[in-house]
Structures are given as structure tokens and as C-alpha cells.
Amino acid sequence: MTPDMTPDMTPDMTPIMQALMVAAVAALLMAGGWLWQRRHHNAGIVDAMWASGMAVAAVLLAWTGPGAATPRVLLAVLGGVWAGRLALHIWKRVRHGEEDGRYRALRAHWNGSQGKFALFFLAQAGLVVFMSLPFIAVAANPVPGMTPWAWLGVLVWAVSVAGETVADRQLDAFRADPANRGRTCRAGLWRVSRHPNYFFEWLHWFSYVALAAGSGLAWLAWVGPIAMYLFLRWISGIPYTEAQALRSRGEDYRQYQRTTPMLFPWFPKRDCAGSPHHRTPTPEE
């Protein structure tokens, strides 16, 4: 008997029941995050809680899904590792660091209203449910074994998670040097994209499109890359990040915007003499 032919010992849950289960877990996580934020005055914890919610959702949905064993195991491992790594990375940055400028601006705009922050955290719980729809599609995939689509999903996942990890480490190393305070990172992947971490985060969602191939709910998997692109490009990602960068780094970041692609990696622009525009600002700047 192959792994995909083993008796199904998991609860028989419909997609709606699965979504409600994820909603309950996400609400509890966000409630805890809100309480931590209230005590430490750092709303950046919401990002760590979102990633944690996605990790738990991947495992729970894989366990309760009606599909074959292989896509469900891949979902639990790949989704859990991706989101767990992201949660840990954000937590390390948040627990001892200052509140992200985006959330400081939000706190000032809301005059520190904890009621508004509570609604904000609750909305993030809803976002966990919404972004878990691709997981539901994968967990319902009845196609057994490692198909070409499954291998493609694993390959896309490996490339994107490795790329996001490298981008995060390059930025952390740059920020760790006090001499770089107030300057823009142009090292490694940050030379060819202003947001390589966002690019690989977006690319990662195509993993579940491939893993859901053959599922009756395969169309739900497209929610991942489409929604993530919209959020990163126009709603909560790049606009807020770049606004904060302009406030803190001014002309140096404006030059970076003029010479470096925003999301999709490509060669930086060159001046008339053929040299890349990546001048290091003087201490006075």
C-alpha cells in the first residue's frame, strides 16, 4: 500500500469548516499579539503573528484536507517551513527593536487608540483566512504521488524561499553596521531590486498553484499570487515601505528609486558615462 492509499484518519471537514477553524486560530493569535503590542508599544508583532497564523493554517489544513497524502504532506512541510521562517525572522527583529516606522505613523495617525489597533489586528486575522485559500485548494487535491506539477511546486518554493532568506540576511547585515545608518542598502539582491524580499515572497505563492493542479478547487490557489501582488504593490507593502524610506533617507533613497527596479530584479540604470547610479552618500547627507 502506497502512502497515498493509506486510510484517511483525518476529520471530514468541508472548505467552509476549514476556513472557520483557521479563523478561530488566527483570532486567538492576533488577540495575543494585540496584548503584546499594548504592553510593549510595538505593533510590528502583527507581522510575526500573521506569519505564525499562516504556518498553523498550513499544518491544520493539510491534516483536515480530503486530498491525497502527497499534496497534503507537501503543504504541511512547505507552507509550515516558509511561514515559520518568516515568523521567526520578524520576531527577532521586533522583540528588541524599535517599532517599524509604518506602525509609528499609524499610531500617531490614530492617536494611540487601542480600539483601532484591536480592529487592525482582527483584520489581519481575516487576512490569514483569505490567504489560506490556496492551502485549502492543495489539501483537496486528490492526485497521488510526486507528479511533474508537484516537483514544479517544490522547485518554485525552494528558489523563492532561498531568495527571500538571502535578501533578508543581506539587509540584516547591512543594518547591523552602524556606519550604514541613514543609508540605503544596495548590496547583493538589493542592487537589482528595491524589494527583493517582496519579489520572492510573491513568487513563493506560485508553489501552491502548482501543488493544487488536479484539485477541484485549483482556482482558489490563484488567490495567493494575485492577492499578494496587489497587497505588495499597491496596498500595504511597497507604498508604506517606500514612504518611510523617503522620510528617513531622503535624497539617497530617491536616487535609489530612479536607478533600481522596484520589484522585479533587473540591472540598475546607468548614467551617460555607463556607471551605475549607486553613489554612497556623505556623512553630512
Side-chain angles (χ1 to χ4, degrees):
M1 182 176 289
T2 66
D4 285 297
M5 295 172 62
T6 54
D8 188 359
M9 302 299 292
T10 59
D12 185 15
M13 301 186 72
T14 66
I16 293 178
M17 291 171 63
Q18 288 181 301
L20 290 174
M21 175 183 64
V22 172
V25 172
L28 287 173
L29 285 171
M30 288 300 171
W34 176 76
L35 290 173
W36 189 93
Q37 168 278 145
R38 185 171 183 173
R39 179 177 180 181
H40 297 274
H41 303 285
N42 190 338
I45 191 65
V46 71
D47 296 324
M49 290 296 99
W50 182 85
S52 299
M54 295 304 299
V56 175
V59 175
L60 284 179
L61 293 174
W63 176 53
T64 60
T70 297
R72 290 163 57 193
V73 170
L74 288 174
L75 170 62
V77 174
L78 301 187
V81 170
W82 156 71
R85 185 212 72 86
L86 184 59
L88 182 60
H89 169 73
I90 297 172
W91 169 245
K92 288 179 178 178
R93 188 179 64 198
V94 168
R95 61 177 177 175
H96 297 309
E98 296 181 354
E99 187 173 46
D100 188 287
R102 295 171 299 164
Y103 296 119
R104 288 200 304 270
L106 201 60
R107 191 177 296 277
H109 179 67
W110 287 343
N111 295 318
S113 171
Q114 287 301 317
K116 291 181 178 179
F117 268 113
L119 292 176
F120 174 71
F121 273 71
L122 186 61
Q124 297 304 304
L127 187 59
V128 169
V129 178
F130 179 66
M131 294 304 296
S132 293
L133 294 179
F135 295 170
I136 291 177
V138 175
N141 191 350
V143 181
M146 287 299 296
T147 66
W149 282 109
W151 282 113
L152 178 61
V154 171
L155 177 62
V156 172
W157 182 92
V159 170
S160 56
V161 172
E164 187 172 7
T165 301
V166 169
D168 287 339
R169 289 180 177 177
Q170 289 172 342
L171 184 59
D172 286 345
F174 180 85
R175 288 175 169 173
D177 186 349
N180 292 326
R181 186 173 180 83
R183 303 187 182 192
T184 302
C185 179
R186 293 175 172 86
L189 293 170
W190 298 86
R191 182 177 180 272
V192 294
S193 171
R194 301 202 299 270
H195 304 280
N197 53 340
Y198 287 169
F199 169 75
F200 286 111
E201 168 68 18
W202 167 75
L203 182 66
H204 145 267
W205 286 95
F206 285 96
S207 305
Y208 309 111
V209 174
L211 292 176
S215 171
L217 299 174
W219 59 276
L220 280 178
W222 284 97
V223 167
I226 293 173
M228 185 54 64
Y229 183 81
L230 294 175
F231 278 114
L232 292 177
R233 177 62 182 85
W234 285 294
I235 302 175
S236 61
I238 292 174
Y240 280 93
T241 301
E242 298 217 332
Q244 174 60 25
L246 288 170
R247 284 192 294 267
S248 61
R249 279 166 267 163
E251 184 55 34
D252 181 49
Y253 197 80
R254 291 188 183 90
Q255 184 184 60
Y256 185 55
Q257 287 179 312
R258 292 193 297 267
T259 60
T260 308
M262 178 173 55
L263 185 62
F264 296 96
W266 194 245
F267 300 103
K269 295 180 180 179
R270 296 175 178 271
D271 60 19
C272 296
S275 300
H277 287 282
H278 57 271
R279 176 181 62 87
T280 300
T282 64
E284 290 76 13
E285 294 178 308

